[in-house]
Amino acid sequence: MTSIQQNDLVFNDSINESMLLAFPVPLSLMPDGWLSPTEMRILYTLAQQTHGPVLEIGAWLGRSTLAIAAGVRDSPNIPAFDTCDFGLTSIGEWSERLQESFEPYLKDVENDIVVRSIFQTGGSIALLIDNLRKANLLKYVTSIIRGNALEVPLRNQYGFIFCDTLHYESEIRTYGAFLNNLLADGGWIVCDDVISEELGSILREYIDFEFLVYSLPIDQYSKFAVGKKRKSLLTVVD
Ligand SMILES: C[S@@+](CC[C@H](N)C(=O)[O-])C[C@H]1O[C@@H](n2cnc3c(N)ncnc32)[C@H](O)[C@@H]1O
């Protein structure tokens, strides 16, 4: 018989905000990024409960990476955690990899961390490692992989995936089958910027979800979809 896991109770018909764990990392140690406090709690809660392994696609400076690594640290079984990013180190690489101009960032002083992350020796991955080290969380990241997630070597399957590269329908279609192959039956996936069923229904074309819920109803600044992949009838359960 399948036991009901804690995360099944937190994320089911909707996100039960009162059951999200408190976020334990001091905010002063959290890098710049776009994740809201609710989103950090969601990543921390899932990482703390998963059997893993865990995969992050799109670490940038590590705001989400630190939230997941803290969950891994506080998990009873300390799962393996791989993270992957383009790790951009030049304007040329930015334009080529992200297919967008870097020009607006050079004019936008408020976003100057974006410019610094490109020109930092070692690029954004160097800042990511530094941010993890300062929070004493570097040892909870098994592999930091620089490159295109679609091309680099990864494990066969993951029990929890956080994907921060899905902003539009075209991106969901680019990564959909890839994510489905990597996600274990009964595994969890969090997708940033899949804000509602409008985009979530496209993700459902690739992944058979037991449930897929959104964080916007509990936090107007939050843009996560949280899904649990259905266990296939052939999966042996404990
Ligand atoms: C929105 S940022 C991530 C922000 C980060 N998760 C945070 O919490 O601050 C998206 C990142 O995804 C990376 N990225 C986009 N497509 C990728 C791919 N196919 N493989 C690896 N990294 C990718 C970019 O380099 C960028 O750093």
Side-chain angles (χ1 to χ4, degrees):
M1 211 171 83
T2 315
S3 57
I4 295 182
Q5 303 292 318
Q6 180 72 2
N7 282 333
D8 286 304
L9 303 174
V10 186
F11 308 94
N12 203 316
D13 293 336
S14 60
I15 299 177
N16 186 340
E17 190 180 4
S18 65
M19 291 183 75
L20 291 176
L21 300 175
F23 191 62
V25 182
L27 294 184
S28 58
L29 289 174
M30 294 303 286
D32 285 305
W34 293 271
L35 289 195
S36 74
T38 304
E39 292 172 333
M40 292 188 273
R41 287 176 69 199
I42 290 172
L43 291 180
Y44 174 74
T45 301
L46 281 164
Q48 203 263 350
Q49 298 283 332
T50 184
H51 292 285
V54 182
L55 173 67
E56 175 184 49
I57 304 173
W60 195 43
L61 306 183
R63 195 168 169 86
S64 47
T65 321
L66 265 70
I68 296 168
V72 166
R73 175 196 64 194
D74 298 343
S75 144
N77 56 318
I78 313 210
F81 172 26
D82 302 329
T83 185
C84 175
D85 197 282
F86 282 143
L88 303 171
T89 55
S90 70
I91 293 178
E93 230 181 3
W94 177 287
S95 313
E96 186 198 323
R97 290 291 208 182
L98 301 182
Q99 296 288 301
E100 69 170 29
S101 163
F102 195 72
E103 206 59 26
Y105 294 100
L106 293 172
K107 292 179 192 139
D108 185 355
V109 177
E110 286 201 356
N111 274 323
D112 111 288
I113 182 63
V114 175
V115 178
R116 276 190 283 131
S117 74
I118 293 285
F119 293 117
Q120 161 81 31
T121 306
S124 62
I125 296 278
L127 290 173
L128 167 67
I129 291 171
D130 206 37
N131 289 330
L132 282 161
R133 187 181 292 118
K134 281 182 194 149
N136 209 14
L137 289 169
L138 185 57
K139 58 177 172 279
Y140 299 103
V141 185
T142 314
S143 314
I144 297 177
I145 306 159
R146 181 175 181 270
N148 185 342
L150 294 165
E151 296 166 359
V152 298
L154 297 168
R155 287 166 216 269
N156 288 341
Q157 291 227 297
Y158 290 88
F160 172 33
I161 298 175
F162 171 57
C163 184
D164 202 350
T165 66
L166 307 178
H167 308 89
Y168 320 105
E169 173 172 353
S170 61
E171 289 179 324
I172 295 175
R173 295 206 180 281
T174 300
Y175 293 91
F178 163 78
L179 290 170
N180 184 46
N181 280 336
L182 282 180
L183 188 61
D185 284 357
W188 292 85
I189 184 164
V190 174
C191 300
D192 196 7
D193 288 317
V194 177
I195 196 162
S196 68
E197 195 54 24
E198 192 181 331
L199 287 177
S201 61
I202 301 166
L203 197 58
R204 285 182 198 276
E205 290 179 30
Y206 298 90
I207 301 174
D208 182 20
F209 287 109
E210 192 177 324
F211 41 82
L212 180 65
V213 293
Y214 303 94
S215 59
L216 184 64
I218 61 163
D219 174 2
Q220 61 173 318
Y221 301 109
S222 184
K223 308 171 281 13
F224 276 3
V226 181
K228 182 179 183 188
K229 184 173 170 178
R230 199 183 304 282
K231 286 193 170 114
S232 91
L233 290 176
L234 296 175
T235 306
V236 178
V237 291
D238 53 9

